[in-house]
Amino acid sequence: SVTYGTVVNGIRKSGDSDWALNFLRTMEDRRIEISVMIYNMVIDSLCKNGQMDDAFDLFRRIESKGILPTVVTYASLIHRLCVLGRWSDVLELVRDMVRRKISGNVVFFTILIDAFVKDGKALEAKEMWEEMIQRGLVPDTVTYTSLINGFGMHNNLDAAKQTFDSMVSKGCLPNVVTFNTLINGYCKSNRVDEGMKLLNEMSRRRVVANTCTYNILIQGFCQVGNIDAARKLFREMLCKGPHPNSITYSIFLDGLFKNGKQDEALVLYDKMEKNGIKIGIVGHTIVVHGLCKDGKFAEALHLFEKLTNKGVKPHVKMYNVIISGFCGIDFLDEADKLFKHMKEVGCKPNNRTYNILIRAHLKNDDISKIIELTREMRDRGFSAD
RNA sequence: GCAUCAGACCCUCUUAUUG
């Protein structure tokens, strides 16, 4: 059973949850006992894969086999439901837990607090916090970091800093994620200087800054137009680390484009290709978008075609950039054609895709097209801006 | 009995070079 667990865990890390499911079936058919932890791992991987229906099927199946779900089982399901914003389903599961007298632990409450706070549901988050304390549970570094993140996301940096200070005073030590979170809050509010102060405080506290720390700061500098400082950090990463990853390159490229340094961005992009540095679809999208904004749609389109020919799979945002580019030069037929194409290859348009197209057709007074798009949009549960 | 399973941080798209 331990060995099987290792195998399932391996499958889970590979992200192939269908495989894990089949594996479970095989074990069940051979009447090998499977512990609830193994089921938990598979349920969690299904959730992370977005296969909620399969996850619930398995959840019900283990119940029918007489295996009792644990708080971990519920935590995995609830976590994903929160991310999807399916609050009524969350409530239903929580009631289910209460009915079965399965009580939440710190991780469980942290999941809910994090989700509420991210969704701007401060009241509910506070309720969960109080409930947690009332039960004698002690918030840990992750709990505090979630709070700090929530406050940062809503530009309430005073509250974020207060939370940071109070965790320290309670003997709960901030780790690199805690620092990154607070730094990110300041950077997103155009206060990268405060972020740099925290970078110094990190070393004072013997917390080692990682790639993510630098990524956040580089973006912070780009956002306030201080490309020189961003470049300095980027070069520091190249020569003494922490090593840049594809997100670092994306952030820096985006910063260069948005600050009018198209040439430098393109030089870097070329250099990356020559040196075999992989950049993901996000990075490619940044470059294609940067070319569009610079009025070089022909080049953008050329790059887009080159990438797709190389087998790079565009995603919605990439299609949106190109569709928007066609609209910008009044090639609505081409925009419509690409829109059709993306759907044919199974790339689901999002809210923004429709808004781009509707806006373009509005300019052309193409009423029937607008009606068609609006209807299709509504059918998919989107709304116009 | 304990442990192994669940939780926190970073990038791109419309309106928008002019809000």
Side-chain angles (χ1 to χ4, degrees):
Chain A
S1 176
V2 174
T3 322
Y4 280 112
T6 313
V7 174
V8 176
N9 205 359
I11 294 162
R12 190 172 55 88
K13 274 186 189 143
S14 78
D16 196 342
S17 50
D18 289 330
W19 233 86
L21 266 182
N22 286 329
F23 194 77
L24 274 186
R25 288 276 192 203
T26 311
M27 286 168 78
E28 286 171 346
D29 290 347
R30 295 186 186 168
R31 316 209 175 253
I32 294 163
E33 269 204 33
I34 305 166
S35 78
V36 67
M37 286 172 218
I38 289 168
Y39 281 115
N40 286 344
M41 290 194 298
V42 180
I43 287 175
D44 187 61
S45 81
L46 289 168
C47 289
K48 292 209 164 72
N49 246 311
Q51 309 179 6
M52 288 311 285
D53 294 339
D54 292 330
F56 276 108
D57 282 348
L58 185 55
F59 178 65
R60 282 186 281 268
R61 202 166 89 219
I62 70 171
E63 299 205 61
S64 67
K65 292 164 70 81
I67 295 172
L68 293 176
T70 64
V71 62
V72 176
T73 324
Y74 281 96
S76 293
L77 291 166
I78 288 174
H79 181 208
R80 187 64 199 184
L81 290 173
C82 286
V83 171
L84 297 172
R86 290 168 55 175
W87 300 108
S88 56
D89 294 329
V90 170
L91 190 61
E92 200 178 311
L93 272 187
V94 171
R95 287 201 178 120
D96 201 40
M97 274 178 79
V98 173
R99 206 176 54 236
R100 311 172 82 138
K101 306 213 186 328
I102 297 171
S103 49
N105 56 16
V106 181
V107 174
F108 178 80
F109 278 101
T110 303
I111 289 169
L112 286 173
I113 290 169
D114 177 66
F116 281 140
V117 113
K118 276 181 181 152
D119 204 46
K121 301 183 189 301
L123 237 88
E124 288 88 338
K126 195 158 175 279
E127 255 172 52
M128 286 301 113
W129 176 270
E130 278 158 7
E131 174 95 23
M132 180 179 73
I133 303 292
Q134 214 172 42
R135 295 188 185 201
L137 298 169
V138 183
D140 62 14
T141 303
V142 179
T143 318
Y144 283 108
T145 304
S146 296
L147 281 181
I148 293 169
N149 188 43
F151 287 129
M153 278 178 69
H154 297 96
N155 292 322
N156 192 351
L157 285 148
D158 292 337
K161 186 63 169 63
Q162 270 172 32
T163 308
F164 183 89
D165 292 337
S166 90
M167 75 183 275
V168 174
S169 70
K170 292 195 173 102
C172 186
L173 290 181
N175 61 19
V176 61
V177 179
T178 316
F179 273 102
N180 289 348
T181 304
L182 187 57
I183 293 173
N184 191 36
Y186 280 117
C187 286
K188 292 278 143 65
S189 298
N190 298 324
R191 293 166 68 180
V192 61
D193 48 323
E194 293 294 331
M196 288 303 282
K197 279 187 203 158
L198 283 162
L199 181 66
N200 291 323
E201 191 176 336
M202 284 175 84
S203 55
R204 252 184 283 125
R205 289 183 183 268
R206 300 286 135 99
V207 176
V208 181
N210 59 20
T211 301
C212 188
T213 319
Y214 277 75
N215 290 349
I216 292 165
L217 286 164
I218 289 174
Q219 172 148 258
F221 278 121
C222 289
Q223 197 175 296
V224 297
N226 193 346
I227 290 295
D228 291 338
R231 195 187 293 111
K232 200 175 149 202
L233 283 181
F234 180 68
R235 290 198 173 136
E236 192 180 318
M237 290 178 86
L238 289 174
C239 54
K240 51 178 210 194
H243 281 299
N245 57 17
S246 66
I247 296 182
T248 318
Y249 286 98
S250 293
I251 288 172
F252 191 45
L253 283 171
D254 189 50
L256 289 171
F257 275 117
K258 290 193 171 145
N259 284 280
K261 311 250 183 221
Q262 289 85 358
D263 295 341
E264 186 176 348
L266 292 172
V267 167
L268 177 61
Y269 184 62
D270 284 341
K271 206 185 282 176
M272 288 175 68
E273 192 182 1
K274 281 197 196 89
N275 296 346
I277 298 167
K278 289 255 179 288
I279 187 163
I281 181 64
V282 173
H284 292 305
T285 305
I286 285 166
V287 176
V288 171
H289 182 231
L291 288 169
C292 287
K293 284 285 172 196
D294 199 21
K296 295 174 176 155
F297 180 62
E299 285 175 45
L301 188 60
H302 181 248
L303 176 57
F304 172 75
E305 279 163 354
K306 193 176 117 188
L307 290 170
T308 47
N309 287 337
K310 276 205 306 191
V312 175
K313 279 257 168 297
H315 60 170
V316 205
K317 293 183 186 187
M318 178 66 102
Y319 281 115
N320 288 349
V321 169
I322 299 293
I323 289 173
S324 173
F326 276 129
C327 292
I329 55 169
D330 273 320
F331 277 37
L332 295 197
D333 290 343
E334 291 298 322
D336 289 335
K337 216 190 278 175
L338 191 57
F339 176 59
K340 205 171 141 220
H341 177 259
M342 72 186 278
K343 291 188 284 189
E344 279 165 4
V345 298
C347 180
K348 288 203 189 314
N350 62 15
N351 211 336
R352 197 161 293 200
T353 319
Y354 288 101
N355 279 302
I356 292 165
L357 285 166
I358 289 173
R359 219 169 270 278
H361 282 107
L362 270 172
K363 263 198 300 195
N364 276 28
D365 290 323
D366 190 342
I367 307 294
S368 65
K369 198 83 199 172
I370 294 166
I371 291 170
E372 181 191 325
L373 284 166
T374 317
R375 188 177 300 139
E376 189 179 320
M377 192 177 184
R378 210 164 286 150
D379 288 345
R380 298 198 183 217
F382 297 128
S383 56
D385 285 357

